[in-house]
Coordinates of all heavy atoms in Angstrom, one line a residue:
M1 N -7.7 -8.4 6.8 CA -7.5 -7.0 7.1 C -6.0 -6.7 7.4 O -5.3 -7.5 8.0 CB -8.2 -6.7 8.4 CG -8.2 -5.2 8.8 SD -9.3 -4.9 10.2 CE -8.3 -3.9 11.2
V2 N -5.5 -5.7 6.8 CA -4.1 -5.3 7.0 C -3.9 -4.6 8.3 O -4.6 -3.6 8.6 CB -3.6 -4.5 5.8 CG1 -2.1 -4.0 6.0 CG2 -3.7 -5.2 4.5
E3 N -2.8 -5.0 9.0 CA -2.5 -4.3 10.3 C -1.9 -3.0 10.0 O -1.0 -2.9 9.2 CB -1.6 -5.2 11.1 CG -1.4 -4.8 12.5 CD -0.6 -5.8 13.3 OE1 0.4 -6.3 12.8 OE2 -1.0 -6.1 14.4
P4 N -2.3 -1.9 10.8 CA -1.6 -0.6 10.6 C -0.1 -0.7 10.8 O 0.3 -1.4 11.7 CB -2.3 0.3 11.6 CG -3.5 -0.4 12.0 CD -3.3 -1.9 11.8
I5 N 0.6 0.1 10.0 CA 2.1 0.0 10.1 C 2.6 0.3 11.5 O 3.6 -0.2 11.9 CB 2.7 0.9 9.0 CG1 4.2 0.7 8.9 CG2 2.5 2.4 9.3 CD1 4.6 -0.6 8.3
E6 N 1.9 1.2 12.2 CA 2.4 1.6 13.6 C 2.4 0.4 14.5 O 3.0 0.4 15.6 CB 1.8 2.8 14.1 CG 0.3 2.7 14.4 CD -0.6 3.2 13.2 OE1 0.0 3.4 12.1 OE2 -1.8 3.3 13.4
L7 N 1.6 -0.6 14.2 CA 1.5 -1.8 15.1 C 2.4 -2.9 14.6 O 2.8 -3.8 15.4 CB 0.1 -2.3 15.1 CG -1.0 -1.5 15.8 CD1 -2.3 -2.1 15.8 CD2 -0.6 -1.2 17.3
Q8 N 2.8 -2.9 13.3 CA 3.6 -4.0 12.8 C 5.0 -4.1 13.4 O 5.4 -5.1 13.8 CB 3.7 -3.8 11.3 CG 2.4 -4.1 10.5 CD 2.5 -3.9 9.0 OE1 3.6 -3.7 8.5 NE2 1.4 -3.9 8.4
R9 N 5.7 -3.0 13.5 CA 7.1 -3.0 14.0 C 7.1 -3.4 15.5 O 7.9 -4.3 15.9 CB 7.8 -1.7 13.8 CG 8.2 -1.5 12.4 CD 9.1 -0.3 12.3 NE 9.5 -0.2 10.9 CZ 10.0 0.9 10.4 NH1 10.2 1.9 11.1 NH2 10.4 0.9 9.1
P10 N 6.2 -2.8 16.3 CA 6.3 -3.2 17.7 C 5.9 -4.7 17.9 O 6.5 -5.4 18.7 CB 5.2 -2.3 18.4 CG 5.1 -1.2 17.5 CD 5.4 -1.7 16.2
R11 N 5.0 -5.2 17.1 CA 4.6 -6.6 17.2 C 5.8 -7.5 16.8 O 6.0 -8.6 17.4 CB 3.4 -6.9 16.4 CG 2.1 -6.4 17.0 CD 0.9 -7.0 16.3 NE -0.3 -6.3 16.5 CZ -1.1 -6.4 17.6 NH1 -0.8 -7.2 18.6 NH2 -2.2 -5.7 17.8
L12 N 6.5 -7.1 15.8 CA 7.6 -7.9 15.3 C 8.7 -7.9 16.4 O 9.4 -8.9 16.7 CB 8.2 -7.4 14.0 CG 7.4 -7.6 12.8 CD1 8.0 -6.8 11.6 CD2 7.3 -9.1 12.5
W13 N 8.9 -6.8 17.0 CA 9.9 -6.7 18.1 C 9.5 -7.6 19.3 O 10.4 -8.3 19.8 CB 9.9 -5.2 18.6 CG 10.7 -4.9 19.8 CD1 12.1 -4.9 19.9 CD2 10.2 -4.6 21.1 NE1 12.4 -4.5 21.2 CE2 11.3 -4.4 21.9 CE3 8.9 -4.5 21.6 CZ2 11.2 -4.1 23.3 CZ3 8.8 -4.2 23.0 CH2 9.9 -4.0 23.7
L14 N 8.3 -7.6 19.6 CA 7.8 -8.5 20.7 C 7.9 -10.0 20.4 O 8.2 -10.8 21.2 CB 6.4 -8.2 21.1 CG 6.3 -6.9 21.9 CD1 4.8 -6.5 22.1 CD2 7.0 -6.9 23.3
R15 N 7.7 -10.3 19.1 CA 7.8 -11.7 18.7 C 9.2 -12.3 18.8 O 9.4 -13.4 19.0 CB 7.3 -11.9 17.2 CG 5.9 -11.9 17.1 CD 5.5 -12.2 15.7 NE 4.1 -11.7 15.5 CZ 3.7 -10.9 14.5 NH1 4.5 -10.6 13.6 NH2 2.4 -10.6 14.4
R16 N 10.2 -11.4 18.7 CA 11.6 -11.8 18.8 C 12.0 -12.0 20.3 O 13.1 -12.5 20.6 CB 12.5 -10.8 18.2 CG 12.5 -10.9 16.7 CD 13.5 -10.0 16.0 NE 12.8 -8.7 15.9 CZ 13.4 -7.5 15.8 NH1 14.7 -7.5 15.9 NH2 12.7 -6.4 15.6
W17 N 11.2 -11.6 21.2 CA 11.5 -11.7 22.6 C 11.2 -13.1 23.1 O 10.1 -13.5 23.2 CB 10.7 -10.7 23.4 CG 11.0 -10.7 24.9 CD1 12.1 -11.1 25.5 CD2 10.1 -10.3 26.0 NE1 12.1 -10.9 26.9 CE2 10.8 -10.5 27.2 CE3 8.8 -9.9 26.0 CZ2 10.3 -10.2 28.4 CZ3 8.2 -9.6 27.2 CH2 9.0 -9.7 28.4
R18 N 12.3 -13.9 23.2 CA 12.1 -15.3 23.7 C 12.8 -15.4 25.0 O 13.8 -14.8 25.3 CB 12.8 -16.2 22.6 CG 12.2 -16.1 21.3 CD 12.8 -17.1 20.3 NE 14.2 -17.1 20.4 CZ 15.0 -17.0 19.3 NH1 14.5 -17.0 18.1 NH2 16.3 -17.0 19.5
A19 N 12.2 -16.3 25.8 CA 12.7 -16.4 27.2 C 14.2 -16.8 27.3 O 14.9 -16.3 28.1 CB 11.8 -17.5 27.9
E20 N 14.6 -17.7 26.3 CA 16.0 -18.1 26.4 C 17.0 -17.0 26.0 O 18.1 -17.1 26.3 CB 16.2 -19.4 25.5 CG 15.9 -19.2 24.0 CD 14.5 -19.5 23.6 OE1 13.6 -19.6 24.5 OE2 14.2 -19.5 22.4
D21 N 16.5 -16.0 25.2 CA 17.4 -15.0 24.8 C 17.6 -13.9 25.9 O 18.6 -13.3 25.9 CB 16.8 -14.2 23.6 CG 16.7 -15.1 22.4 OD1 17.5 -16.1 22.3 OD2 15.9 -14.9 21.5
L22 N 16.6 -13.8 26.8 CA 16.7 -12.7 27.8 C 16.4 -13.3 29.2 O 15.4 -13.0 29.8 CB 15.7 -11.6 27.4 CG 15.8 -11.0 26.0 CD1 14.6 -10.2 25.7 CD2 17.1 -10.1 26.0
P23 N 17.3 -14.1 29.7 CA 17.1 -14.8 31.0 C 16.9 -13.8 32.2 O 16.1 -14.2 33.1 CB 18.3 -15.6 31.2 CG 19.4 -15.0 30.3 CD 18.7 -14.4 29.2
A24 N 17.5 -12.7 32.2 CA 17.4 -11.8 33.4 C 16.3 -10.8 33.2 O 16.0 -10.1 34.2 CB 18.7 -11.1 33.6
L25 N 15.6 -10.7 32.1 CA 14.6 -9.7 31.9 C 13.2 -10.2 32.3 O 12.7 -11.1 31.7 CB 14.7 -9.3 30.4 CG 13.9 -8.0 30.1 CD1 14.5 -6.8 30.9 CD2 14.1 -7.7 28.6
A26 N 12.6 -9.6 33.3 CA 11.3 -10.1 33.8 C 10.2 -9.4 33.1 O 9.1 -9.9 33.0 CB 11.2 -9.8 35.3
A27 N 10.4 -8.2 32.5 CA 9.3 -7.4 31.9 C 9.9 -6.4 30.9 O 11.1 -6.0 31.0 CB 8.5 -6.7 32.9
R28 N 9.1 -6.0 30.0 CA 9.3 -4.9 29.1 C 8.5 -3.7 29.6 O 7.3 -3.9 30.0 CB 8.9 -5.2 27.7 CG 9.7 -6.3 27.0 CD 11.0 -5.8 26.5 NE 11.7 -6.9 25.9 CZ 12.6 -6.7 24.9 NH1 12.8 -5.6 24.5 NH2 13.2 -7.8 24.4
V29 N 9.0 -2.5 29.7 CA 8.3 -1.4 30.1 C 8.3 -0.3 29.1 O 9.3 -0.2 28.3 CB 8.7 -0.9 31.5 CG1 8.5 -1.9 32.6 CG2 10.2 -0.4 31.4
S30 N 7.4 0.6 29.1 CA 7.3 1.7 28.2 C 6.5 2.8 28.9 O 5.7 2.6 29.8 CB 6.6 1.4 26.9 OG 6.7 2.4 26.0
F31 N 6.8 4.1 28.6 CA 6.1 5.2 29.1 C 5.9 6.3 28.1 O 6.6 6.3 27.1 CB 6.7 5.7 30.4 CG 8.1 6.2 30.2 CD1 8.3 7.6 29.8 CD2 9.2 5.4 30.3 CE1 9.6 8.0 29.6 CE2 10.5 5.9 30.1 CZ 10.7 7.2 29.7
S32 N 5.0 7.2 28.4 CA 4.7 8.3 27.5 C 4.2 9.4 28.4 O 3.9 9.2 29.6 CB 3.7 7.9 26.4 OG 3.4 9.0 25.6
T33 N 4.0 10.5 27.8 CA 3.3 11.6 28.5 C 1.8 11.2 28.6 O 1.3 10.5 27.8 CB 3.4 13.0 27.8 OG1 2.8 12.9 26.5 CG2 4.8 13.4 27.7
A34 N 1.1 11.7 29.6 CA -0.3 11.3 29.9 C -1.2 11.8 28.7 O -2.1 11.1 28.4 CB -0.8 11.9 31.2
G35 N -0.8 12.8 28.0 CA -1.6 13.3 26.9 C -1.4 12.7 25.6 O -2.1 13.0 24.6
N36 N -0.4 11.8 25.5 CA 0.0 11.2 24.2 C -0.9 10.0 24.0 O -0.5 8.9 24.2 CB 1.4 10.9 24.1 CG 1.9 10.5 22.8 OD1 1.1 10.1 21.9 ND2 3.2 10.5 22.5
E37 N -2.1 10.2 23.6 CA -3.1 9.1 23.4 C -2.7 8.1 22.3 O -2.9 6.9 22.5 CB -4.5 9.7 23.1 CG -5.1 10.3 24.3 CD -5.3 9.4 25.5 OE1 -5.6 8.2 25.2 OE2 -5.2 9.8 26.6
R38 N -2.0 8.6 21.3 CA -1.6 7.7 20.2 C -0.6 6.7 20.7 O -0.7 5.5 20.5 CB -1.0 8.5 19.1 CG -0.7 7.7 17.9 CD -0.2 8.6 16.7 NE 0.1 7.7 15.6 CZ 0.7 8.2 14.5 NH1 0.9 9.5 14.4 NH2 1.0 7.4 13.5
A39 N 0.4 7.1 21.5 CA 1.4 6.2 22.0 C 0.8 5.3 23.0 O 1.1 4.1 23.1 CB 2.5 7.0 22.7
R40 N -0.2 5.8 23.8 CA -0.8 4.9 24.8 C -1.7 3.9 24.2 O -1.7 2.7 24.6 CB -1.6 5.8 25.8 CG -0.6 6.7 26.6 CD -1.3 7.6 27.6 NE -2.0 6.8 28.6 CZ -2.8 7.4 29.5 NH1 -3.1 8.6 29.4 NH2 -3.4 6.6 30.4
R41 N -2.4 4.2 23.1 CA -3.2 3.2 22.4 C -2.3 2.2 21.8 O -2.6 1.0 21.8 CB -4.0 3.9 21.3 CG -5.3 4.6 21.8 CD -6.2 4.9 20.7 NE -5.6 5.7 19.6 CZ -5.5 7.0 19.5 NH1 -6.0 7.7 20.4 NH2 -4.9 7.6 18.5
L42 N -1.1 2.6 21.3 CA -0.2 1.6 20.7 C 0.3 0.6 21.7 O 0.4 -0.6 21.5 CB 1.0 2.4 20.0 CG 2.1 1.5 19.5 CD1 1.6 0.6 18.3 CD2 3.3 2.3 19.1
M43 N 0.7 1.2 22.9 CA 1.2 0.3 24.0 C 0.1 -0.7 24.4 O 0.4 -1.9 24.5 CB 1.6 1.1 25.2 CG 2.9 1.9 24.9 SD 3.5 2.8 26.3 CE 2.8 4.4 26.1
K44 N -1.1 -0.3 24.5 CA -2.2 -1.2 24.8 C -2.4 -2.2 23.7 O -2.6 -3.4 24.0 CB -3.5 -0.5 25.1 CG -3.5 0.3 26.3 CD -4.8 1.1 26.4 CE -4.7 2.1 27.6 NZ -5.9 2.9 27.7
A45 N -2.3 -1.8 22.5 CA -2.6 -2.7 21.3 C -1.6 -3.8 21.2 O -1.9 -4.9 20.7 CB -2.6 -1.9 20.0
I46 N -0.3 -3.5 21.6 CA 0.7 -4.6 21.5 C 0.8 -5.4 22.8 O 1.7 -6.3 22.9 CB 2.1 -4.0 21.1 CG1 2.6 -3.0 22.2 CG2 2.0 -3.4 19.8 CD1 4.0 -2.6 21.9
G47 N -0.1 -5.2 23.7 CA -0.2 -6.0 24.9 C 0.4 -5.5 26.2 O 0.3 -6.2 27.2
L48 N 0.9 -4.3 26.2 CA 1.4 -3.7 27.5 C 0.2 -3.3 28.3 O -0.8 -2.9 27.7 CB 2.3 -2.5 27.2 CG 3.7 -2.9 26.8 CD1 3.8 -3.2 25.4 CD2 4.7 -1.8 27.2
R49 N 0.3 -3.4 29.6 CA -0.8 -3.0 30.5 C -0.3 -1.9 31.4 O 0.8 -1.8 31.8 CB -1.2 -4.2 31.4 CG -1.7 -5.3 30.7 CD -2.2 -6.4 31.6 NE -2.7 -7.6 30.9 CZ -2.7 -8.8 31.4 NH1 -2.4 -9.0 32.7 NH2 -3.2 -9.8 30.7
R50 N -1.3 -1.0 31.7 CA -1.0 0.1 32.5 C -0.6 -0.4 33.9 O -1.2 -1.3 34.5 CB -2.2 1.0 32.6 CG -2.1 2.2 33.5 CD -1.5 3.4 32.8 NE -1.3 4.5 33.7 CZ -2.2 5.4 34.1 NH1 -3.4 5.3 33.6 NH2 -1.9 6.4 35.0
D51 N 0.5 0.3 34.5 CA 1.0 -0.1 35.8 C 0.9 1.2 36.6 O 2.0 1.9 36.8 CB 2.4 -0.6 35.7 CG 3.0 -1.0 37.0 OD1 2.3 -1.1 38.0 OD2 4.2 -1.3 37.0
P52 N -0.3 1.6 37.2 CA -0.4 2.8 37.9 C 0.6 3.1 39.0 O 1.1 4.2 39.2 CB -1.8 2.8 38.4 CG -2.6 1.9 37.4 CD -1.5 0.8 37.1
P53 N 1.0 2.0 39.8 CA 2.0 2.3 40.8 C 3.3 2.8 40.2 O 4.1 3.4 40.9 CB 2.2 1.0 41.6 CG 0.9 0.2 41.3 CD 0.5 0.7 39.9
G54 N 3.6 2.5 39.0 CA 4.8 2.9 38.3 C 4.8 4.3 37.7 O 5.8 4.8 37.2
D55 N 3.6 4.9 37.6 CA 3.5 6.2 37.1 C 4.4 7.2 37.8 O 4.7 7.0 39.0 CB 2.1 6.7 37.2 CG 1.1 6.0 36.2 OD1 1.5 5.1 35.5 OD2 -0.1 6.3 36.3
F56 N 4.9 8.2 37.1 CA 5.9 9.1 37.7 C 5.7 10.5 37.1 O 5.2 10.6 36.0 CB 7.3 8.6 37.6 CG 7.8 8.4 36.1 CD1 8.5 9.5 35.5 CD2 7.5 7.3 35.4 CE1 9.0 9.4 34.2 CE2 7.9 7.2 34.1 CZ 8.7 8.2 33.5
L57 N 6.3 11.4 37.8 CA 6.4 12.8 37.3 C 7.8 13.0 36.7 O 8.8 12.6 37.4 CB 6.1 13.8 38.4 CG 4.8 13.7 39.1 CD1 4.7 14.7 40.2 CD2 3.6 14.0 38.0
H58 N 7.9 13.5 35.5 CA 9.2 13.7 34.9 C 10.1 14.6 35.8 O 9.6 15.7 36.2 CB 9.0 14.3 33.5 CG 10.3 14.2 32.7 ND1 11.4 15.0 32.9 CD2 10.5 13.4 31.6 CE1 12.3 14.7 32.0 NE2 11.8 13.7 31.3
P59 N 11.3 14.1 36.1 CA 12.1 14.9 37.1 C 12.6 16.2 36.5 O 12.9 17.1 37.3 CB 13.3 13.9 37.3 CG 13.3 13.0 36.1 CD 11.9 12.9 35.7
R60 N 12.6 16.4 35.3 CA 13.1 17.7 34.7 C 11.9 18.7 34.4 O 12.2 19.8 33.8 CB 13.9 17.5 33.5 CG 15.2 16.8 33.8 CD 16.1 16.8 32.7 NE 17.4 16.3 33.1 CZ 18.5 16.3 32.3 NH1 18.4 16.8 31.1 NH2 19.6 15.8 32.8
L61 N 10.7 18.3 34.7 CA 9.6 19.2 34.4 C 8.9 19.5 35.8 O 8.8 18.7 36.6 CB 8.6 18.5 33.5 CG 9.1 18.2 32.1 CD1 8.0 17.4 31.3 CD2 9.4 19.5 31.3
S62 N 8.5 20.8 35.9 CA 7.9 21.2 37.2 C 6.5 20.7 37.2 O 5.8 20.5 36.2 CB 7.9 22.7 37.3 OG 7.3 23.3 36.2
D63 N 6.0 20.4 38.5 CA 4.7 19.9 38.7 C 3.7 20.9 38.1 O 3.9 22.1 38.1 CB 4.4 19.8 40.2 CG 5.1 18.6 40.8 OD1 5.7 17.8 40.1 OD2 5.2 18.6 42.1
G64 N 2.6 20.4 37.6 CA 1.5 21.2 37.1 C 1.6 21.4 35.6 O 0.7 21.8 34.9
R65 N 2.8 21.1 35.0 CA 2.9 21.2 33.5 C 2.3 20.0 32.9 O 2.3 18.9 33.4 CB 4.4 21.3 33.1 CG 5.0 22.6 33.6 CD 6.4 22.8 33.1 NE 6.4 22.9 31.7 CZ 7.5 22.9 30.9 NH1 8.7 22.8 31.5 NH2 7.5 23.0 29.6
P66 N 1.6 20.2 31.7 CA 0.9 19.0 31.1 C 1.8 17.9 30.7 O 1.3 16.7 30.6 CB 0.2 19.6 29.9 CG 0.7 21.0 29.7 CD 1.4 21.4 31.0
L67 N 3.1 18.1 30.4 CA 4.0 17.0 30.0 C 4.6 16.3 31.2 O 5.4 15.4 31.0 CB 5.0 17.6 29.1 CG 4.5 18.1 27.8 CD1 5.7 18.6 27.0 CD2 3.8 17.1 27.0
C68 N 4.3 16.8 32.4 CA 5.0 16.2 33.6 C 4.6 14.8 33.9 O 5.4 13.9 34.2 CB 4.8 17.1 34.8 SG 5.8 16.7 36.2
P69 N 3.2 14.5 34.0 CA 2.8 13.1 34.4 C 3.2 12.1 33.2 O 2.9 12.3 32.1 CB 1.3 13.2 34.5 CG 1.0 14.6 34.5 CD 2.1 15.4 33.8
H70 N 3.8 11.0 33.6 CA 4.1 9.9 32.7 C 3.5 8.6 33.2 O 4.0 8.0 34.2 CB 5.6 9.8 32.6 CG 6.3 10.8 31.7 ND1 6.2 12.1 32.0 CD2 6.9 10.7 30.6 CE1 6.9 12.8 31.1 NE2 7.3 12.0 30.2
P71 N 2.5 8.0 32.5 CA 2.0 6.7 32.9 C 3.0 5.6 32.4 O 3.5 5.7 31.3 CB 0.7 6.6 32.2 CG 0.7 7.6 31.1 CD 1.7 8.7 31.5
L72 N 3.1 4.6 33.2 CA 4.0 3.5 32.9 C 3.2 2.3 32.4 O 2.1 2.0 33.0 CB 4.8 3.1 34.1 CG 5.8 2.0 33.9 CD1 7.1 2.6 33.2 CD2 6.2 1.4 35.2
Y73 N 3.7 1.6 31.4 CA 3.0 0.4 30.9 C 4.0 -0.7 31.0 O 5.2 -0.5 30.8 CB 2.6 0.6 29.4 CG 1.4 1.5 29.3 CD1 1.5 2.9 29.4 CD2 0.1 0.9 29.1 CE1 0.4 3.7 29.3 CE2 -1.0 1.7 29.1 CZ -0.9 3.1 29.2 OH -2.0 3.9 29.1
R74 N 3.6 -1.9 31.2 CA 4.4 -3.1 31.4 C 3.9 -4.3 30.7 O 2.7 -4.5 30.7 CB 4.5 -3.3 32.9 CG 5.4 -4.4 33.4 CD 5.4 -4.6 34.9 NE 5.7 -3.3 35.6 CZ 6.9 -2.9 35.9 NH1 7.9 -3.6 35.6 NH2 7.1 -1.8 36.6
L75 N 4.8 -5.1 30.2 CA 4.5 -6.5 29.7 C 5.4 -7.5 30.4 O 6.6 -7.5 30.2 CB 4.7 -6.6 28.2 CG 4.4 -7.9 27.6 CD1 3.0 -8.3 27.8 CD2 4.7 -7.9 26.1
C76 N 4.8 -8.2 31.4 CA 5.6 -9.2 32.1 C 5.8 -10.4 31.3 O 5.1 -10.8 30.4 CB 4.8 -9.6 33.4 SG 4.5 -8.2 34.5
R77 N 7.0 -11.0 31.6 CA 7.4 -12.2 30.8 C 6.3 -13.3 30.9 O 6.0 -13.9 29.8 CB 8.6 -12.8 31.5 CG 9.1 -14.1 30.8 CD 10.2 -14.8 31.6 NE 11.4 -14.0 31.7 CZ 12.3 -14.0 30.8 NH1 12.3 -14.8 29.8 NH2 13.4 -13.3 31.0
E78 N 5.6 -13.5 32.0 CA 4.6 -14.5 32.1 C 3.4 -14.2 31.2 O 2.9 -15.1 30.6 CB 4.1 -14.6 33.6 CG 5.1 -15.1 34.5 CD 6.1 -14.0 35.0 OE1 5.8 -12.8 34.9 OE2 7.2 -14.4 35.5
D79 N 3.0 -13.0 31.1 CA 1.9 -12.6 30.2 C 2.3 -12.8 28.7 O 1.5 -13.3 27.9 CB 1.5 -11.1 30.4 CG 0.9 -10.9 31.8 OD1 0.4 -11.9 32.4 OD2 0.9 -9.7 32.2
W80 N 3.5 -12.4 28.4 CA 4.0 -12.6 27.0 C 4.1 -14.1 26.7 O 3.6 -14.5 25.6 CB 5.4 -12.0 26.8 CG 5.9 -12.1 25.4 CD1 5.6 -11.2 24.4 CD2 6.7 -13.1 24.9 NE1 6.2 -11.7 23.3 CE2 6.8 -12.8 23.5 CE3 7.2 -14.3 25.4 CZ2 7.6 -13.6 22.7 CZ3 8.0 -15.1 24.6 CH2 8.2 -14.8 23.2
E81 N 4.6 -14.9 27.6 CA 4.7 -16.4 27.3 C 3.3 -17.0 27.2 O 3.1 -17.9 26.4 CB 5.5 -17.1 28.4 CG 7.0 -16.7 28.3 CD 7.8 -17.3 29.4 OE1 7.3 -17.6 30.5 OE2 9.1 -17.3 29.3
A82 N 2.4 -16.5 28.0 CA 1.0 -17.1 27.9 C 0.4 -16.8 26.6 O -0.4 -17.6 26.0 CB 0.2 -16.5 29.0
A83 N 0.7 -15.6 26.0 CA 0.1 -15.2 24.8 C 0.8 -15.7 23.5 O 0.2 -15.9 22.5 CB 0.1 -13.6 24.7
H84 N 2.1 -16.1 23.7 CA 2.9 -16.5 22.5 C 3.5 -17.9 22.7 O 4.2 -18.3 21.8 CB 4.1 -15.5 22.3 CG 3.6 -14.1 22.0 ND1 3.3 -13.2 22.9 CD2 3.3 -13.6 20.8 CE1 2.9 -12.1 22.3 NE2 2.9 -12.3 21.0
G85 N 3.1 -18.6 23.7 CA 3.5 -19.9 23.9 C 4.9 -20.2 23.8 O 5.5 -21.1 23.5

């Protein structure tokens, strides 16, 4: 089965993340608007996990607007190393 193109680039990017290359970086993070299901599915598909305590409201958008809530996703170094040896 061929992997969809929208997953290929992020997976290649993550494969290049090696512990010795990024000694000070403990995690990769990403965020999107709450309603952007395509981006959220992609983040989950490449191994990022939702980090609800990190969710935030966009500072330039007023509360109550649909684009204001931003869920945060995180991939910790330990999780990446466990999956990629």
Side-chain angles (χ1 to χ4, degrees):
M1 184 172 139
V2 176
E3 187 172 49
I5 190 71
E6 64 264 13
L7 293 179
Q8 290 177 10
R9 282 190 180 163
R11 285 191 198 279
L12 288 172
W13 172 74
L14 287 172
R15 283 186 198 129
R16 286 185 272 156
W17 184 26
R18 297 184 312 228
E20 62 271 12
D21 294 337
L22 303 165
L25 194 59
R28 297 279 181 149
V29 296
S30 184
F31 61 88
S32 178
T33 61
N36 190 343
E37 289 298 324
R38 185 175 179 185
R40 294 177 67 189
R41 280 194 309 269
L42 174 65
M43 289 184 267
K44 290 177 188 176
I46 63 172
L48 280 83
R49 294 185 185 159
R50 177 88 185 274
D51 182 10
D55 292 357
F56 63 96
L57 300 177
H58 194 286
R60 292 191 172 188
L61 297 173
S62 57
D63 289 347
R65 293 186 61 188
L67 296 178
C68 189
H70 282 64
L72 184 77
Y73 287 79
R74 180 180 309 272
L75 178 61
C76 295
R77 176 191 299 271
E78 294 81 19
D79 293 339
W80 184 87
E81 287 174 342
H84 296 90

